[in-house]
């Protein structure tokens, strides 16, 4: 039982990070774009924070704020100067553009900071921990969970009660109808990409805090959270959070117990989330919180 609880603590912390990453995907998806460059946004934010905190010796919180601002501005620039000119293009074209951006950003990031692993010791998490009974809690995990909860609460309050949040929800339902009632779609899209950049930075910082190092593979980790938005239901922010938490728990629990079941093979935890996704979609084809679209003719 102690092992299960210990793995659950680590799984919940990882699930919180996946929830943030999945939320970043979903926010942009509400604007009608599948952003396959989200992993590079996360990588840019994490590397910037690491550079500011370690090389420039800035306060870690200030480094996160500046890193998030840079990533948000990058997202705004991409929407302003690239995607806005492609508004009438097919969906496949937009997807290929985001894939191209992902490659360009990765090459640029590695060109600036190199391919070697960077220490992640500029953060206040440290390697310290404390015990509650027989369960060990890492401060890194505590900060991850607490920060994620605060950000999610702020986001959902913004999304439900603020003027821009309501405008984003209306735009997600129907772009043409939202424009017809006076909502500025360009403004909504700018805010959407800015928020996605902010969320990507925080997710990248906390994901890098888990292995205690930062390298190019961190960007690929974003795609481990991609099934969360399908599991939770495309376009559902609540589903993205729930899907991220489920996948984090599954990955860590399966990884902790897979040695007890040799027939599944080593590394099964890396694909266990896809197995869960398949099983859920067999029962609920639109995901846990997804809804079937009905078209009236």
């Amino acid at each position: 039982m102690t092992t299960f609880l210990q793995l659950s603590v680590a799984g919940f912390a990882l699930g919180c990070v996946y929830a943030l990453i999945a939320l970043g995907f979903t926010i942009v998806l509400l604007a009608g774009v599948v952003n396959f460059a989200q992993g590079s946004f996360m990588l840019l934010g994490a590397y910037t924070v690491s550079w500011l905190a370690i090389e420039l010796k800035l306060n870690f919180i200030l480094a996160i704020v500046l890193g998030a601002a840079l990533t948000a501005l990058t997202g705004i620039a991409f929407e302003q100067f690239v995607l806005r000119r492609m508004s009438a293009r097919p969906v496949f074209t937009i997807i290929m553009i985001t894939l191209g951006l992902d490659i360009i950003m990765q090459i640029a990031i590695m060109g600036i900071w190199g391919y070697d692993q960077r220490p992640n010791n500029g953060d206040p998490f440290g390697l310290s921990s404390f015990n509650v009974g027989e369960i060990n809690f890492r401060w890194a995990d505590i900060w991850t969970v607490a920060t994620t909860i605060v950000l999610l609460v702020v986001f959902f309050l913004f999304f439900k009660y603020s003027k821009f949040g309501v405008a984003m929800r209306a735009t997600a339902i129907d772009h043409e109808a939202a424009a017809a009632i006076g909502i500025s779609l360009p403004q909504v899209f700018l805010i959407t990409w800015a928020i996605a950049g902010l969320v990507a930075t925080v997710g990248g910082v906390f994901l890098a805090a888990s292995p205690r190092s930062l390298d190019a593979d961190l960007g690929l980790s974003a795609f481990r959270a991609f099934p969360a938005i399908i599991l939770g239901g495309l376009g559902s922010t609540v589903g993205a959070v729930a899907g991220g938490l489920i996948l984090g728990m599954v990955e860590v629990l399966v990884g902790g117990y897979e040695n007890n079941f040799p027939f599944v093979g080593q590394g099964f935890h890396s694909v266990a989330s896809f197995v869960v996704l398949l099983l859920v979609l067999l029962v609920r084809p639109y995901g846990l919180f997804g809804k079937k679209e009905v078209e009236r003719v």
Side-chain angles (χ1 to χ4, degrees), residues 4-23:
F4 174 78
L5 293 175
Q6 185 69 70
L7 292 173
S8 297
V9 169
F12 188 76
L14 180 61
C16 285
V17 178
Y18 283 169
L20 286 176
I21 298 172
L23 190 60

Side-chain angles (χ1 to χ4, degrees), residues 11-295:
F12 188 76
L14 180 61
C16 285
V17 178
Y18 283 169
L20 286 176
I21 298 172
L23 190 60
F25 276 113
T26 301
I27 290 171
V28 176
L29 187 61
L30 293 177
V33 178
V34 180
N35 181 25
F36 284 104
Q38 189 69 11
S40 289
F41 279 100
M42 189 176 71
L43 200 63
L44 174 63
Y47 266 88
T48 301
V49 172
S50 175
W51 174 67
L52 292 172
I54 297 176
E55 269 84 356
L56 299 188
K57 309 296 183 182
L58 292 184
N59 176 271
F60 184 63
I61 302 301
L62 178 60
I64 291 180
V65 172
L66 294 177
L70 174 63
T71 310
L73 289 174
T74 302
I76 289 174
F78 177 64
E79 194 284 328
Q80 179 77 31
F81 299 110
V82 179
L83 284 185
R84 189 164 298 186
R85 303 173 187 274
M86 300 291 168
S87 58
R89 302 290 183 178
V91 175
F92 178 75
T93 302
I94 304 300
I95 291 176
M96 294 306 297
I97 290 173
T98 63
L99 284 172
L101 175 66
D102 181 61
I103 295 172
I104 292 171
M105 288 182 66
Q106 285 199 34
I107 293 175
I109 292 168
M110 295 304 104
I112 295 172
W113 285 293
Y115 287 86
D116 296 334
Q117 284 191 340
R118 291 177 57 85
N120 196 38
N121 55 12
D123 58 71
F125 309 130
L127 297 175
S128 60
S129 61
F130 63 93
N131 288 341
V132 176
E134 297 181 355
I135 310 301
N136 181 262
F137 292 86
R138 296 193 316 151
W139 279 110
D141 292 339
I142 298 297
W143 277 102
T144 298
V145 173
T147 304
T148 300
I149 291 174
V150 170
L151 286 178
L152 292 179
V153 169
V154 170
F155 171 77
F156 284 119
L157 290 176
F158 165 83
F159 201 62
K160 187 171 184 179
Y161 297 108
S162 73
K163 174 184 176 181
F164 290 118
V166 173
M168 289 173 63
R169 284 193 292 148
T171 303
I173 295 173
D174 192 317
H175 288 192
E176 293 182 359
I181 62 175
I183 294 176
S184 173
L185 297 187
Q187 191 176 53
V188 169
F189 294 155
L190 284 179
I191 295 172
T192 297
W193 280 88
I195 294 176
L198 294 173
V199 172
T201 298
V202 178
V205 168
F206 283 116
L207 190 60
S210 182
R212 310 304 308 167
S213 62
L214 180 60
D215 57 36
D217 291 338
L218 185 72
L220 299 176
S221 300
F223 291 100
R224 287 159 53 189
F226 192 77
I229 67 174
I230 304 174
L231 176 64
L234 287 174
S236 172
T237 53
V238 175
V241 174
L245 292 174
I246 291 171
L247 293 189
M249 293 288 290
V250 168
E251 182 176 324
V252 174
L253 287 173
V254 172
Y257 288 108
E258 65 183 359
N259 289 333
N260 297 334
F261 305 94
F263 59 89
V264 301
Q266 291 292 325
F268 178 72
H269 65 279
S270 61
V271 298
S273 58
F274 292 94
V275 176
V276 173
L277 174 63
L278 177 61
L279 293 176
V280 170
L281 293 182
L282 288 174
V283 179
R284 295 186 60 85
Y286 296 93
L288 295 174
F289 294 89
K291 297 180 180 179
K292 182 178 180 180
E293 294 186 3
V294 179
E295 295 185 5

